[in-house]
Amino acid sequence: MRSIRSSFSGVAVIAAALVTISFFVAAPSIAAEHKGMAMAKGGMDRFLIISPHTAEQCLAVLDDMAAKEPQMLAKTDWGCMAGDHTAYMIVEAKDEMAAKNKVPQIVRDQAKVIKLNKFTAEQIKSFHQKS
């Protein structure tokens, strides 16, 4: 019985790996085909911004955001109280540079900006059909 279970587990792991590999092989073409899927309201794109800072910079970053982007302060999640001096936010902007400009200047160069998108079940089915 154990050998059947371990064989089944091995097959499941291999199947999961193949699905993962096929996704990453298809992902560049999927992204190219569905470039417009990330648009938010008003033609703006959505971006995740991950903005690390040091413990020494923390108060200056908070002060800067409170003074220059008070509406962003309310939308930003902070890991500082847990020892992770990083700001996490989702913003709408016309492009990556406009999104990055929402980050305080003193830490802007360290910020990572990721364009976000959503998929529908129909799109996922079409991705499988094309791969």
Side-chain angles (χ1 to χ4, degrees):
M1 192 63 152
R2 277 190 176 165
S3 63
I4 293 173
R5 281 188 183 150
S6 61
S7 295
F8 181 73
S9 297
V11 170
V13 168
I14 291 169
L18 289 174
V19 168
T20 302
I21 290 169
S22 67
F23 175 77
F24 284 108
V25 168
S29 63
I30 291 168
E33 287 179 32
H34 300 281
K35 201 171 184 178
M37 291 306 298
M39 290 291 187
K41 296 177 239 164
M44 304 284 266
D45 288 322
R46 293 177 66 237
F47 296 89
L48 169 65
I49 301 174
I50 303 169
S51 180
H53 55 274
T54 65
E56 294 77 24
Q57 294 171 317
C58 190
L59 193 52
V61 169
L62 290 169
D63 287 341
D64 186 89
M65 187 170 281
K68 295 179 183 166
E69 295 277 352
Q71 70 282 8
M72 286 303 302
L73 185 61
K75 295 179 181 181
T76 302
D77 291 296
W78 304 87
C80 306
M81 297 298 286
D84 172 27
H85 287 278
T86 306
Y88 302 91
M89 58 190 102
I90 295 179
V91 302
E92 291 182 3
K94 67 177 183 168
D95 57 32
E96 184 176 330
M97 186 55 66
K100 197 168 196 172
N101 284 336
K102 295 182 181 287
V103 175
Q105 178 68 37
I106 62 173
V107 293
R108 192 171 293 156
D109 289 343
Q110 292 79 37
K112 182 174 182 179
V113 179
I114 304 162
K115 187 174 176 181
L116 300 175
N117 62 281
K118 295 188 182 287
F119 292 113
T120 65
E122 292 77 25
Q123 286 174 310
I124 295 168
K125 285 179 189 176
S126 76
F127 300 157
H128 285 289
Q129 293 169 351
K130 293 178 183 177
S131 58

